[in-house]
Amino acid sequence: MSKQQLEVLGQDGDCCAGVSEAPLDDERAAELAKVFKALGDPVRLRLLSMIASQGEGGEVCVCELTPAFDLSQPTISHHLKLLRQAGLIDCERRGTWVYYWVLPPALDRLAAFLTTPTAAEAPARAGLRAAEALG
């Protein structure tokens, strides 16, 4: 099986600008804040990790997630709901169980936002800024 990079279509360049590339507008800041708020809880981080570790196309039943925590099922469901509302995961009910999977494009956009220039690009940018300052 070969691994290929897939391009996410239907997005303009501004929506995916990194944190060090351009200031955020109000709308994008609100979107990202919702995601970061969802990730700002240790239980939700663990849930996302458990779901994402199932691999590409993998899914996990809520019945497998709940025993990993010393929390009630409704509390786990609430945390999963917040991850879904943030657009990080999705789910499907099958009979009495709900199965969850990660949404890779959402994680890719978040990773792209947090990515800063590589070490090789940083000196070139610093030189360009110095040249612009001199004038």
Side-chain angles (χ1 to χ4, degrees):
M1 179 189 322
S2 69
K3 292 188 177 192
Q4 296 179 347
Q5 291 275 346
L6 297 178
E7 182 180 352
V8 179
L9 301 175
Q11 299 177 350
D12 58 24
D14 292 338
C15 79
C16 300
V19 67
S20 63
E21 294 175 23
L24 290 173
D25 62 24
D26 289 342
E27 184 178 335
R28 183 74 173 133
E31 289 173 20
L32 284 167
K34 186 176 178 180
V35 173
F36 283 119
K37 186 173 181 180
L39 293 175
D41 182 276
V43 172
R44 291 192 288 273
L45 275 175
R46 285 187 59 209
L47 284 166
L48 181 66
S49 175
M50 292 172 72
I51 297 166
S53 68
Q54 298 303 308
E56 188 175 330
E59 56 188 31
V60 62
C61 178
V62 69
C63 63
E64 298 173 64
L65 297 170
T66 305
F69 299 90
D70 189 24
L71 298 169
S72 68
Q73 184 277 325
T75 301
I76 295 297
S77 292
H78 172 73
H79 285 298
L80 290 166
K81 175 184 171 185
L82 293 176
L83 290 171
R84 281 186 58 229
Q85 289 174 340
L88 297 167
I89 62 173
D90 205 354
C91 68
E92 176 181 79
R93 178 173 293 280
R94 298 180 197 149
T96 58
W97 298 113
V98 179
Y99 290 81
Y100 291 88
W101 58 88
V102 73
L103 297 173
L107 298 182
D108 291 345
R109 285 189 301 273
L110 188 59
F113 171 73
L114 292 172
T115 300
T116 58
T118 64
E121 295 171 340
R125 284 190 179 193
L128 180 61
R129 287 188 192 121
E132 288 172 349
L134 294 174

